Structures are given as structure tokens and as C-alpha cells.
Amino acid sequence: MNKNIAVLASGRGSNLEAIIKNIEIGKCIANLVLVVSDNPDARALKIARDHNIKALYLDPGPKKTWLLPEYEENYVRVLKEHNVNLVCLAGFMRIIKQPLLNAFPNRILNIHPSLLPAFPGLDVQRKALAYGVKYSGCTVHFVDDTVDGGPIIAQAVVPILDNDTPETLAERILKEEHRIYTEAINLILSGQYQIVGRRVIRVES
Ligand code: GRF
């Protein structure tokens, strides 16, 4: 099966960096063909170029939180031109809508720094601390037309410590993100799974 992936990222790119490292050491079976950003200054673009991976800034258009259809179509065109089979959002700060979802049905993944369905959206470490939960973590899920709501592929649990701040919690969660994103990508590219209702279940091929 085609193992071409693209990563879409808006900023720091630490998840991208972890995926690249895992590919380089043979832990991730993906072939990373393209990195795309909606932010010309994203560190993610520099990380990709430093590793000789094609990196493009694509104009996101006038809206702040999503792409108008004609702009999203451009993302679809570029991803298809690169024969991308799986799209991985890694800190891509846009809600994904129809042109992309239709072009890549159940082929777009996202990583989120909470144990979904708890704390979707933004600023989630602060929300987890304010709520008083004892455990948080991270989730890799399929992207659908809801915000952080698609079927869950992988999760990791991180205990919350009494002296945690949003920053210290985010840092510990991020370590787990870097581990489980590769695991989730490997599972989806291996094809050894089924989606049953909302459950993503491992199957032997
Ligand atoms: C991560 O915490 C990820 O879960 C969230 O955005 C952050 C991106 O971080 N969606 P990075 O750009 O991968 O360092």
C-alpha cells in the first residue's frame, strides 16, 4: 500500500520532528513526502527543509479558524499531486471542512493534548487543571466534520501532579504525543484495523 504521508502544521512542529526522527530510525513506516503550513513562519517548515523534505506554505485565505472552500481545494490539489495517502495534522490550527474531508475520507489524522472526549478545542491543559481531573493525556483520532470528535485510534494517559502548571503538564503530555502519533500512523498505514461504529479495532491481515 502507498505509505506516502503529508504533515500539516502551523507552528512549533515538535510532533513533525518526532515523526521525522522515527522514520529515520525505522520506527515509523511512513514515507513523508510533504509538509504543508498555513503559516509562512512556522518552525515546522524549517524542520522539514533541514531534513530535505519538501515544505510548502499554502495561503489559508481570509478566515482565521478554517479555510474557505477555494483555499482548501488548493490544499487538496497539492496533496493529490504528491500522491499522499494519509494526511497527518500536527498542530494545524484550522478546522478541516468538506473539500479535504471528501478527498481523504478516513485518511486524515489529528493529535490532541487531552483524553478525548474530555477537553476538546484549545487551551486544554489549563482546562484540565481547572476542572481538577487527576489524569489527562493525548489522543490520536480520525478527523471528521466535528471538532476533535472522530474515531479514536490511540491514547496515552498522563497523571496530573499537584504542582503542575499548564506548561509542565503540556510538556509531559507532549512526550507521549511523540510516541503515540507514530504508533497510530503505523497502524493506519499497515491497514490492520477496522472502524466499527466509533471503535478502531486491530485486525490481523
Ligand atoms: C500539540 O500539543 C498537539 O497535540 C496540538 O498542538 C500541539 C502542536 O505541537 N494539536 P507541535 O507543533 O507538534 O510541537
Side-chain angles (χ1 to χ4, degrees):
M1 190 203 284
N2 167 3
K3 296 196 168 30
N4 289 354
I5 71 165
V7 171
L8 270 55
S10 300
R12 180 179 57 180
S14 76
N15 276 287
L16 167 69
E17 205 165 18
I19 292 166
I20 293 173
K21 280 195 184 132
N22 284 336
I23 291 171
E24 287 174 352
I25 63 173
K27 255 190 178 180
C28 181
I29 64 174
N31 179 28
L32 177 54
V33 293
L34 182 66
V35 172
V36 176
S37 185
D38 58 340
N39 167 15
D41 302 320
R43 180 172 168 263
L45 291 174
K46 178 173 171 6
I47 292 169
R49 289 177 185 134
D50 286 349
H51 288 263
N52 294 318
I53 293 160
K54 187 162 180 186
L56 297 175
Y57 160 70
L58 290 186
D59 186 356
K63 297 287 180 190
K64 279 219 167 102
T65 51
W66 74 94
L67 309 164
L68 288 174
E70 60 267 36
Y71 289 86
E72 213 181 72
E73 280 296 353
N74 197 33
Y75 278 65
V76 171
R77 185 182 55 74
V78 170
L79 293 166
K80 292 285 183 193
E81 274 171 12
H82 288 79
N83 200 17
V84 167
N85 184 24
L86 184 67
V87 179
C88 300
L89 310 183
F92 187 65
M93 302 305 286
R94 305 269 169 177
I95 294 167
I96 302 299
K97 291 192 176 259
Q98 271 326 314
L100 261 168
L101 290 172
N102 283 344
F104 293 95
N106 283 338
R107 300 311 278 177
I108 306 178
L109 311 187
N110 182 43
I111 184 142
H112 181 78
S114 78
L115 288 176
L116 291 170
F119 310 118
L122 297 175
D123 203 12
V124 297
Q125 292 89 358
R126 191 190 55 74
K127 287 177 188 162
L129 289 175
Y131 197 93
V133 292
K134 298 298 183 192
Y135 294 91
S136 189
C138 48
T139 303
V140 181
H141 62 92
F142 286 107
V143 174
D144 63 11
D145 57 2
T146 63
V147 175
D148 299 325
I152 290 171
I153 301 162
Q155 289 187 306
V157 175
V158 172
I160 291 185
L161 308 179
D162 287 346
N163 58 356
D164 260 335
T165 62
E167 292 73 27
T168 60
L169 178 59
E171 198 179 314
R172 289 206 315 289
I173 291 174
L174 201 59
K175 283 201 182 115
E176 295 300 307
E177 294 185 34
H178 295 167
R179 182 176 64 77
I180 69 167
Y181 214 167
T182 285
E183 289 177 5
I185 290 169
N186 284 347
L187 175 68
I188 302 310
L189 290 179
S190 75
Q192 295 184 336
Y193 70 98
Q194 272 179 1
I195 306 176
V196 182
R198 287 194 45 89
R199 300 183 71 197
V200 179
I201 292 176
R202 279 170 198 273
V203 292
E204 298 300 322
S205 58

